[in-house]
């Protein structure tokens, strides 16, 4: 037997039992993006296999905020497992100039990711998708002995098994195998650190319905406190490469909140990665979505809504790719998917990059604006509720558009798009002084026990 025939025989021996009929769509990764893709493809009546390397439910480092765009992208009838409903936000600058803004209507909801993700997977299964957990994908092949024809891609598992599909959706995270296969390029990497801190009932009650957002000491950094029943999710995020400083920020943040005496149930960290503008979203019959595609909002690093929306689009276009009879048609459908992503989420990311540049250079100005100007607060509430987006706000609001245009011109004149890599922020100067402008209050953003922001509350709508 020739070596070529021997290789082919070995491949056939490793094929799964389902390989004879071939799956229409195989989705790798069962987070929000993957579950949404599997649901969209299954609802269309296709044979869908959803692969996940972990056992579900599994923990995910994430604040768990569900804003309007996330809610609107959920499957019909999906009941959010909300742990709290947010009606107030306290803003502070590295513990100072705390100000609380309130709303009569809910701004957004908070969920625990294990429950949320598991619920999305259950919806995909109800739609007809098949789930396999504890499965690690080693690679994807679109040519060679593992691939029987040009209409098929092979997903090779770590144990040697090969699963065949007409289309593959990669939703296995920013460090996953599918993104590497597609050639995803990333131009912004940030480090997030988080602690899940159980607290006594009196502390939990003080935080109920209110979150804290603290603009941090490092350029582009911020921290958050999200209440979820008897647990507070406390985290910070900053540019990668500032690991020690980011850890100190989290430690100082927790201590300042009066939470240092409570033992975290979970302490974790993760990297968030944003795609570059020219990064591919497909290769052959393989699409990527969510974190695997580097799709998230660059300023806030919010990723759930991007995962849900891109996952749904990936599932819908994977169906079309599965139906394509040749490489030309498959390529056409993949390009349509890329166009849909760039026309929607891509535009939002572009505005988010501009907002991050502003935030890195002028955090005090941003703080003074959002806490002191009613239109800015109203814009914040509109974005969190989903009645507009950052991109929509810039398109419709002439003041916001002119402000960002002015920022762009100033960036060009100084030869930089941001201040990533700057080690320290001056304590004096316009950034710190901005916190004392009308609409801010010099104070401490310590925990709710000491009345964080309570003396500066305002009903905004």
């Amino acid at each position: 037997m020739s070596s070529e025939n021997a290789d082919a025989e070995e491949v056939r021996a490793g094929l799964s039992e389902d390989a004879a009929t071939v799956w229409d769509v195989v989705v790798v990764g069962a987070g929000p993006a993957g579950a949404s893709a599997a649901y969209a493809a299954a609802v269309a009546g296709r044979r869908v296999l959803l692969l996940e390397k972990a056992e579900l439910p599994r923990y995910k480092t994430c604040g768990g905020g569900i804003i309007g765009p996330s809610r609107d992208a959920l499957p019909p009838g999906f009941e959010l497992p909300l742990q709290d409903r947010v009606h107030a936000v306290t803003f502070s600058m590295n513990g100072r100039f705390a100000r609380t803004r309130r709303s009569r209507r809910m701004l957004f909801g908070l969920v625990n990711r294990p429950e949320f993700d598991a619920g999305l997977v259950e919806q995909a299964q109800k739609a007809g998708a098949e789930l396999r957990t504890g499965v690690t994908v080693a690679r994807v092949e679109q040519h060679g002995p593992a691939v029987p024809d040009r209409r098929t891609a092979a997903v090779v598992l770590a144990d040697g098994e090969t699963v065949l599909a007409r289309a593959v959706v990669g939703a296995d995270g920013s460090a996953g195998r599918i993104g590497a296969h597609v050639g995803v390029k990333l131009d912004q990497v940030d480090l997030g650190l988080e602690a899940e801190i159980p607290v006594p009932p009196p502390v939990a009650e003080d935080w109920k319905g209110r979150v804290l957002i603290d603009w941090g000491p490092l350029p582009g950094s911020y921290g958050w406190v999200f209440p979820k029943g008897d647990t507070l999710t406390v985290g910070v995020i900053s540019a990668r490469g500032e690991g020690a400083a980011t850890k100190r920020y989290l430690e100082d943040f927790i201590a300042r909140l009066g939470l240092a005496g409570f033992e975290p149930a979970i302490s974790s960290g993760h990297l968030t990665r944003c795609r570059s503008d020219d990064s591919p979203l497909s290769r052959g019959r393989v699409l990527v979505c969510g974190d695997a595609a580097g799709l998230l909002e660059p300023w806030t690093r919010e990723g759930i809504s991007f995962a849900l929306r891109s996952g749904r689009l990936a599932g819908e276009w994977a169906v079309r790719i599965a139906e394509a009879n040749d490489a030309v048609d498959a390529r056409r459908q993949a390009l349509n998917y890329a166009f849909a992503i760039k026309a929607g989420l891509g535009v939002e990311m572009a505005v988010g990059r501009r907002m991050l540049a502003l935030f890195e250079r002028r955090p005090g100005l941003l703080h003074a604006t959002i806490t002191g100007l009613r239109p800015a607060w109203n814009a914040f509430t509109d974005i969190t509720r989903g009645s507009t987006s950052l991109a929509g706000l810039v398109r419709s609001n002439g003041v916001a558009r002119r402000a960002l245009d002015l920022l762009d011109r100033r960036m060009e004149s100084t030869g930089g798009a941001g201040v990533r890599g700057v080690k320290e922020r001056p304590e004096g100067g316009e950034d710190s002084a901005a916190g004392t402008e009308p609409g801010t209050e010099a104070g401490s953003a310590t925990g709710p026990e000491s009345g964080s922001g309570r003396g500066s509350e305002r009903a905004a709508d």
Side-chain angles (χ1 to χ4, degrees):
M1 179 182 295
S2 69
S3 61
E4 183 177 342
N5 289 337
D7 289 342
E9 190 64 31
E10 183 179 349
V11 168
R12 282 192 291 272
L15 294 179
S16 67
E17 294 180 0
D18 293 305
T21 54
V22 185
W23 295 91
D24 293 318
V25 178
V26 169
V27 180
V28 182
S36 296
Y39 174 84
V43 163
R46 301 302 184 266
R47 291 188 72 237
V48 179
L49 176 63
L50 179 58
L51 303 176
E52 168 58 43
K53 67 179 179 180
E55 297 296 336
L56 299 177
R58 49 95 175 97
Y59 181 78
K60 168 71 174 178
T61 303
C62 177
I66 304 298
I67 60 177
S70 298
R71 182 198 61 235
D72 295 342
L74 294 169
F78 183 85
E79 293 188 12
L80 279 167
L82 292 180
Q83 300 298 309
D84 204 344
R85 292 169 170 80
V86 177
H87 288 263
V89 182
T90 296
F91 298 96
S92 64
M93 283 193 62
N94 198 23
R96 300 175 299 160
F97 314 120
R99 185 71 183 271
T100 297
R101 304 299 302 261
R102 293 186 173 277
S103 171
R104 286 185 289 271
R105 292 188 294 151
M106 186 179 82
L107 297 171
F108 56 94
L110 300 174
V111 300
N112 288 323
R113 281 292 300 275
E115 299 171 9
F116 178 69
D117 291 10
L120 291 173
V121 170
E122 184 179 351
Q123 289 293 312
Q125 289 178 288
K126 288 180 179 179
E130 182 174 321
L131 171 69
R132 288 181 61 184
T133 59
V135 177
T136 300
V137 171
R139 64 186 183 278
V140 175
E141 297 182 5
Q142 300 195 65
H143 306 282
V147 183
D149 57 63
R150 307 187 90 178
R151 290 190 59 214
T152 308
V155 179
V156 182
L157 308 184
D159 63 3
E161 179 184 354
T162 298
V163 180
L164 301 180
R166 300 298 184 199
V168 176
V169 175
D172 52 341
S174 60
R177 302 287 188 180
I178 313 304
H181 174 80
V182 168
V184 173
K185 295 185 290 185
L186 307 164
D187 66 1
Q188 178 187 324
V189 183
D190 295 282
L191 170 65
L193 301 177
E194 194 169 78
E196 302 285 352
I197 305 178
V199 293
V203 177
E205 183 62 27
D206 281 338
W207 280 102
K208 186 177 181 181
R210 180 175 67 96
V211 303
L212 170 64
I213 297 176
D214 179 71
W215 313 123
L218 301 165
S221 68
Y222 73 95
W224 61 88
V225 179
F226 286 180
K228 299 171 184 176
D230 60 359
T231 298
L232 300 179
T233 297
V234 183
V236 300
I237 195 164
S238 186
R240 183 185 186 183
E242 298 284 358
T246 304
K247 183 179 179 182
R248 286 195 301 272
Y249 176 28
L250 178 61
E251 292 170 349
D252 293 344
F253 188 42
I254 290 175
R256 193 166 64 231
L257 293 165
L259 301 173
F262 303 115
E263 185 69 23
I266 300 174
S267 295
S268 62
H270 75 297
L271 295 176
T272 65
R273 299 173 171 93
C274 290
R275 67 187 297 272
S276 58
D277 284 337
D278 61 345
S279 180
L281 291 163
S282 67
R283 178 181 175 185
R285 291 180 174 268
V286 179
L287 305 176
V288 285
C289 60
D291 288 345
L295 292 167
L296 71 157
E297 201 281 293
W299 173 33
T300 64
R301 291 81 152 185
E302 190 277 324
I304 294 178
S305 73
F306 279 68
L308 292 169
R309 291 181 285 173
S310 65
R312 184 187 69 236
L313 290 171
E316 293 171 352
W317 257 274
V319 169
R320 295 173 172 86
I321 290 174
E323 296 170 345
N325 290 318
D326 54 47
V328 173
D329 191 17
R331 176 61 175 163
R332 183 184 303 113
Q333 301 305 331
L335 288 173
N336 287 338
Y337 167 69
F339 177 80
I341 291 292
K342 293 176 182 179
L345 300 180
V347 174
E348 292 183 33
M349 290 185 70
V351 176
R353 288 189 183 95
R354 297 167 73 187
M355 288 298 300
L356 176 62
L358 170 62
F359 176 49
E360 288 177 329
R361 293 172 67 97
R362 304 287 298 277
L365 175 62
L366 180 68
H367 179 73
T369 300
I370 199 169
T371 59
L373 299 179
R374 185 183 182 93
W377 168 250
N378 290 341
F380 176 87
T381 64
D382 288 343
I383 290 171
T384 59
R385 292 190 183 114
S387 57
T388 189
S389 64
L390 272 176
L393 178 66
V394 171
R395 283 195 300 266
S396 62
N397 188 302
V399 174
R401 184 169 59 254
R402 288 191 294 273
L404 283 181
D405 288 343
L406 177 61
L407 170 70
D408 289 341
R409 289 194 292 273
R410 288 183 176 178
M411 295 292 189
E412 291 173 0
S413 67
T414 57
V419 291
R420 286 293 174 98
V422 175
K423 301 299 182 184
E424 297 179 355
R425 177 182 297 154
E427 289 299 322
E430 61 186 352
D431 283 351
S432 59
T436 60
E437 291 180 11
T440 64
E441 176 177 321
S444 171
T446 53
E449 302 99 312
S450 58
S452 170
R454 300 295 187 185
S456 56
E457 295 171 357
R458 174 183 293 181
D461 61 343

